[in-house]
Amino acid sequence: MPVLTREEAQSRALLLDIHRYTVDLDLTRGDELFGSTTVIHFTARQAGDTFVELRPATLHRATLDGHPLDPAALDDNRLPLTGLTPGAHELRVEADMRYSRTGEGMHRFTDPADGETYLYTQAFLEDVQRVFAAFDQPDLKAVFDATVTAPPHWTVLGNAVATRTGDPAEGRWELATTRPLSTYFVAFAAGPWHSVRTEHAGLPFALHCRRSLAPHLDADADELFDLTRRCFDRFHEIFDEPYPFDSYDQAFVPEFNAGAMENPGLVTFRDEYVFRSAVTGTERRTRGVTIAHEMAHMWFGDLVTLRWWDDIWLNESFAEYMGYQVLSEATRFSGTWTDFAVARKGWGYDADQRPSTHPVAPEPGAVHDTASALLNFDGISYAKGASALRQLVAWLGEKDFLAGINDHFTRHRFGNATLADFLDSLARNTDRDVHTWADTWLRTSGVDTVTPRVDARGEEPTPAGTTWEAVTGGAASTAAAVSPPTAAGAATAAAVGG
C-alpha cells in the first residue's frame, strides 16, 4: 500500500478544505464484508489534482459532483480526483469493505464463550480507509454524520450519541453530528454489548464489554466510574476549555492490538482491563493511569491535534505525564510517579540506548511518511517525553505551565498545531527561554551522561575518563569542565548535563 508522504499531505492541505463526511455502514452483509457509503463535501481553493484513500474489497461506484469516476482508476488505496475546479465539490463513494481479524480497520470477533459477534474500529494513522473513503491525514478535520445498520439485537456506539431510529427490527442507528475530527479518530463499535450507564456533569457516561464479561465489569463498575469522574473533574479544574464532546463511552473490546485508543467520546481499551480474578493494587493503579491518559487526550490530541506525525510524541508524552499526575492528584492511588520511575522510565532508557534512538521531537521533515511515523512509537515518545515535560513543569512552575497549556487550547481548539505552536503558547506565559529548553532536551537523543576530566597533581596519580549515566531521564548532554587543583593531590571535576 502506498504510504502518504509529508509533502503529499502538505500539498493536499493547501488545496482542500474538508467540511463534512456523511458515512453509512451496513453491518448485515455477512462475516467477511460490510457495506460502506461515504459522501464528502469539500472545497478546492484552486484548480488541481488530488486523491482520496480507500481500501475496498469492491469499489461499486464513485461520483464527483454527480459525474461517475472509473472504479478501475483505483490504484491500490488511491482514487484519483483530477481536474478539480475552485469551489465546492461533493464526492460519493460506495464500496464493500473487508472485516479485519488483526485489529486494523473494522475488527470482527466472535466470542467462543457464547458465539456472539462484536465489531469495533481502529482507525489510527491510516486505517480509516479500511472503513470508509477519506482524505486520510490529521490536518484535514471535518464534522461527521453517520448512520449504521446492524442486527436488531445489537447496540451501536460512536464518537457521538447514537440513537436507534425507525422500526427496531431494521437495526438502524443514527449518530449525532460530531465536532471537527481528524479522520484517525473516527470510531464505531457494534454488537450485543453489556453496558453500564450513568451520568456526570450533565453528560452520559457508559462502560461497555462483551456479554460474557458482564459479571466482571459489574464488579468493577463503581471503581471505574469513580476514577472516571474524579479524573474528569480534575481536568476541568486545571483546563479552562470544558470537555469538548457530547458523551464519554469507554468500551473494553476483545483482541485489541494496542492498550487503548483515545477516540473522542468512545475510548476503546483492551478488555484485559476487565479483571477476571484478583489483581494487585499495582494492576489497578496501572489501569487507572490508562483511563486518565486517554482522558487527557480529549484535550491534547483530540481538541488540538498534531498537524503531522512528527509531533505524535507530544500527544503521547503529554497524556503520559497527565495520566500519572492527575491520577495521583484526584484519586486514592498514590505512588504513581514511583511506578513511573520503576517501570516506565526504564522503557525509555532502553529505547534511548539503541542504535534506533531518536530525539523526543524529531526535526521537521524527519518523519517523511506515515511508515516512518510508526518507528517513533516507543519509550522515547512516551516515557522520556513525559520525563522532559515533568522537568519542564518543575522549571516553569505549574501555574505558568498550565497557563501556557490553556492558551494553546484556546488558540487552536478543534484545529491543528505543531511543537512550535506549543512552545509559542508557553513562551507567552513565562519569562523562561522555552525554545532553548526544547532544543536542548527535545531535539537531542541518547541518555544523559556526565563525563569528568580530572587534572591531578601530587604523588599519587588519579585516574581519569570515568563516565556515568545520569538518571534524570532527560535529553542527552555530554560536557566537562576542568578546574585547576587548589592543593597537591586535589582534583576538581565539574560537568554540565541536561
Side-chain angles (χ1 to χ4, degrees), residues 341 344-354 379-380 383-384 447-448 469-474:
R344 298 294 276 186
K345 286 180 75 172
W347 179 35
Y349 278 123
D350 182 61
D352 214 10
Q353 295 176 81
R354 295 177 178 174
I380 296 171
K384 183 178 179 180
V447 297
D448 299 314
E469 286 182 4
V471 292
T472 57

Side-chain angles (χ1 to χ4, degrees), residues 157 161 195-208 224-233 236 243 245-251 265 291 295 298-299:
L157 310 170
V161 171
S195 301
V196 185
R197 300 180 183 275
T198 189
E199 185 176 292
H200 183 65
L203 297 173
F205 280 29
L207 308 170
H208 311 274
L224 291 167
F225 277 137
D226 181 63
L227 291 174
T228 302
R229 285 189 291 260
R230 288 177 180 273
C231 292
F232 187 89
D233 291 345
H236 277 83
Y243 174 72
F245 307 106
D246 72 357
S247 53
Y248 199 75
D249 288 291
Q250 296 176 98
I291 288 170
M295 190 178 291
M298 298 298 116
W299 286 266

Side-chain angles (χ1 to χ4, degrees), residues 55-301:
R55 297 204 68 190
T58 304
L59 175 56
H60 294 297
R61 280 173 293 279
T63 61
L64 180 61
D65 302 326
H67 301 291
L69 303 176
D70 182 5
L74 181 67
D75 183 8
D76 201 318
N77 67 326
R78 297 184 176 194
L79 181 64
L81 305 177
T82 58
L84 290 176
T85 57
H89 297 277
E90 179 186 283
L91 175 67
R92 181 182 179 89
V93 178
E94 301 173 31
D96 284 338
M97 315 296 279
R98 295 182 181 87
Y99 288 116
S100 169
R101 293 334 194 256
T102 54
E104 302 88 4
M106 181 77 76
H107 185 79
R108 186 181 182 95
F109 168 82
T110 299
D111 192 342
D114 57 14
E116 295 283 8
T117 296
Y118 299 86
L119 312 176
Y120 62 88
T121 57
Q122 172 69 310
F124 177 70
L125 196 64
E126 54 185 358
D127 282 333
V128 73
Q129 57 198 263
R130 300 174 187 269
V131 182
F132 58 85
F135 296 108
D136 197 5
Q137 61 188 69
D139 60 342
L140 289 179
K141 285 188 167 184
V143 299
F144 287 80
D145 291 308
T147 51
V148 179
T149 303
H153 68 292
W154 284 14
T155 298
V156 172
L157 310 170
N159 299 106
V161 171
T163 306
R164 193 185 292 271
T165 62
D167 185 346
E170 296 177 351
R172 290 285 290 171
W173 293 77
E174 182 175 331
L175 282 79
T177 302
T178 71
R179 306 303 294 268
L181 302 179
S182 296
T183 51
Y184 80 95
F185 289 137
V186 180
F188 300 93
W193 302 106
H194 172 70
S195 301
V196 185
R197 300 180 183 275
T198 189
E199 185 176 292
H200 183 65
L203 297 173
F205 280 29
L207 308 170
H208 311 274
C209 72
R210 48 188 161 121
R211 287 182 177 178
S212 63
L213 298 182
H216 307 294
L217 181 64
D218 289 345
D220 264 1
D222 287 345
E223 177 178 305
L224 291 167
F225 277 137
D226 181 63
L227 291 174
T228 302
R229 285 189 291 260
R230 288 177 180 273
C231 292
F232 187 89
D233 291 345
R234 180 58 182 153
F235 280 120
H236 277 83
E237 290 173 358
I238 62 178
F239 294 157
D240 295 337
E241 185 73 26
Y243 174 72
F245 307 106
D246 72 357
S247 53
Y248 199 75
D249 288 291
Q250 296 176 98
F252 298 87
V253 299
E255 298 183 335
F256 199 49
N257 64 7
M261 178 62 196
E262 65 269 20
N263 311 303
L266 177 58
V267 179
T268 45
F269 299 85
R270 61 188 313 125
D271 68 9
E272 286 82 358
Y273 278 128
V274 178
F275 299 135
R276 279 77 149 173
S277 61
V279 295
T280 66
T282 297
E283 288 173 293
R284 290 187 179 277
R285 183 164 53 236
T286 298
R287 181 175 68 179
V289 168
T290 304
I291 288 170
H293 175 114
E294 301 308 323
M295 190 178 291
H297 275 308
M298 298 298 116
W299 286 266
F300 217 111

